Amino acid sequence: MIGDRRSAILEMIIDYYIKTGEPLGSNTLCSMLPYSISSATIRNEMAFLTGMGLLEQRHTSGGRVPTKNGYRYYVENIVKPNELTPYEKQQINEYLSVNASDPDRLLADASRLLSDITGCASFYSTVKDPLDCVQGVELIPAGNSRAMLVMLSVGGKIKSSVCRLNCPIDSEFKKAFYEITNLFFVGVPLGDINLSLIQSTAPMLGERVFDMLPILASLCSLCQEAGEGTLTVTGETKLLSQTELGQDVYKLLVLLAKKDKLEGLINDFIKMNSDTVLYIGDENPVYELKSTATAAARFTYNDIQTAALGIIGSLRIDYKTILPRVDYVFKTVATLLKEGGFRYE
């Protein structure tokens, strides 16, 4: 620990830099302190903090700015979070409760919400699970020879599509459809459902095979889609307004567009013991993210499913305001995934 006075000085320098993007000099800092202290003493304290690696002086006659180590010390030892109001909590709860029973949509909603309330890029990822199986299939007639097909997996993934058929969707058709799906699809791993499986239904369907083919092909596509992991990034262009990223922003946008390195980072994080992580600067194992603050959370739900959710912003994010709101969203999503729609309080 560095003591109360040095902590106060470090906090003021970092808060000022986060707000303005400008270094803070000793004379300005002296006038901002609530107690009397000489500029010489301030300079000595700033020199000490610089020697500790918490501040740096980019120009000989300029003020000090925080280093990446300074941000870490600030987050762990100084920050007093700006807590959420009851109204903010209510707004977050209501927004996330809309799709609480559908994990994929819940994570997508949470990612959009995080980007909106932080001004950062956000992401969510669901990890491919080779053991996830079809739990049930529903066929809902929609008129004009159309029907909505809904597939639910054991892992809680819900996929749907609208199909057009060349025959009436009557009780006989529905009976044949459910017999086929219960026999050939329910309980089968999503990755094992393919065109070969559909072809194996032909002997049982007989003359109805051509009537049933469009709906079975659609079911196959839904299963393949549900069986793959996903990585979706939201709000990338918001990074362009974070001018402190400088030229690094273009490398960052390429990283987010290609996604392969980000996928690797998420997969490594998911294998860790921690449920949340905050990488600041060089702590980040991905080179393109070393000028950012990256926060992420890992979720396990339905016993077998794993997902991640997070934000990426500059080192100058408003930690006091952003971190408690990100944490609340993380906790809310974790509870909704675990309890199937119950609201986190």
Side-chain angles (χ1 to χ4, degrees):
M1 301 296 288
I2 58 176
D4 292 342
R5 186 168 70 184
R6 288 166 179 165
S7 291
I9 291 172
L10 180 62
E11 180 178 14
M12 294 184 74
I13 291 173
I14 294 180
D15 285 346
Y16 185 84
Y17 187 65
I18 286 173
K19 183 178 180 180
T20 68
E22 299 294 332
L24 185 59
S26 58
N27 290 332
T28 304
L29 178 56
C30 188
S31 66
M32 294 169 62
L33 286 169
Y35 44 81
S36 178
I37 186 172
S38 70
S39 295
T41 301
I42 291 289
R43 285 193 292 272
N44 288 336
E45 299 290 37
M46 292 169 74
F48 176 86
L49 293 170
T50 301
M52 291 284 291
L54 303 178
L55 295 176
E56 62 179 336
Q57 188 176 25
R58 294 175 178 173
H59 305 288
T60 304
S61 59
R64 303 300 204 280
V65 297
T67 64
K68 295 169 184 178
N69 289 335
Y71 282 118
R72 170 56 68 184
Y73 187 91
Y74 171 79
V75 168
E76 291 189 352
N77 301 288
I78 296 177
V79 164
K80 301 176 184 64
N82 294 328
E83 299 295 346
L84 284 75
T85 65
Y87 177 75
E88 286 181 289
K89 292 181 180 181
Q90 179 185 353
Q91 291 294 102
I92 291 173
N93 291 341
E94 290 179 354
Y95 185 87
L96 295 178
S97 293
V98 173
N99 290 308
S101 60
D102 185 334
D104 283 356
R105 291 180 179 175
L106 169 61
L107 289 164
D109 288 347
S111 180
R112 285 190 292 270
L113 179 62
L114 282 174
S115 182
D116 288 342
I117 64 179
T118 65
C120 300
S122 62
F123 62 86
Y124 76 94
S125 174
T126 56
V127 179
K128 181 177 180 179
D129 177 16
L131 300 179
D132 198 7
C133 301
V134 176
Q135 178 173 312
V137 182
E138 289 291 332
L139 183 65
I140 306 170
N144 298 323
S145 298
R146 293 182 305 167
M148 173 172 284
L149 179 65
V150 182
M151 188 282 300
L152 171 66
S153 78
V154 172
K157 293 185 177 180
I158 302 172
K159 298 294 180 180
S160 63
S161 65
V162 176
C163 307
R164 182 175 294 277
L165 302 172
N166 298 319
C167 65
I169 309 171
D170 52 22
S171 58
E172 183 181 345
F173 180 90
K174 292 175 67 177
K175 179 182 178 182
F177 172 78
Y178 286 122
E179 287 178 351
I180 286 295
T181 54
N182 287 332
L183 185 61
F184 289 88
F185 293 87
V186 173
V188 176
L190 298 174
D192 292 344
I193 295 176
N194 49 40
L195 293 178
S196 296
L197 180 62
I198 292 176
Q199 291 172 354
S200 68
T201 67
M204 183 174 175
L205 286 171
E207 296 179 356
R208 302 224 63 167
V209 65
F210 295 106
D211 292 337
M212 200 71 66
L213 188 58
I215 201 79
L216 293 181
S218 181
L219 177 57
C220 178
S221 296
L222 294 181
C223 292
Q224 290 177 346
E225 181 183 346
E228 292 298 322
T230 60
L231 172 57
T232 303
V233 180
T234 303
E236 307 96 307
T237 56
K238 292 180 180 178
L239 296 174
L240 293 170
S241 64
Q242 300 182 11
T243 55
E244 61 276 11
L245 289 171
Q247 294 299 313
D248 289 342
V249 71
Y250 300 106
K251 298 177 184 178
L252 190 52
L253 291 175
V254 171
L255 170 81
L256 298 180
K258 291 185 176 181
K259 296 183 180 179
D260 52 341
K261 287 187 178 180
L262 184 57
E263 284 179 338
L265 173 67
I266 292 170
N267 289 333
D268 290 342
F269 161 57
I270 285 175
K271 296 174 185 176
M272 295 168 55
N273 292 326
S274 178
D275 287 333
T276 60
V277 67
L278 172 64
Y279 292 123
I280 297 178
D282 292 336
E283 298 168 359
N284 205 305
V286 176
Y287 172 75
E288 291 86 346
L289 295 174
K290 290 186 180 296
S291 59
T292 73
T294 302
R298 176 186 63 183
F299 309 99
T300 302
Y301 56 100
N302 293 331
D303 296 327
I304 58 174
Q305 298 297 308
T306 307
L309 174 68
I311 64 163
I312 299 171
S314 77
L315 290 170
R316 270 184 54 216
I317 62 171
D318 183 357
Y319 295 93
K320 290 181 178 180
T321 300
I322 287 177
L323 291 186
R325 282 145 188 81
V326 170
D327 182 64
Y328 188 82
V329 171
F330 286 168
K331 289 178 178 178
T332 304
V333 170
T335 300
L336 292 173
L337 287 172
K338 181 180 180 180
E339 300 182 3
F342 292 101
R343 185 171 299 169
Y344 174 82
E345 297 292 349

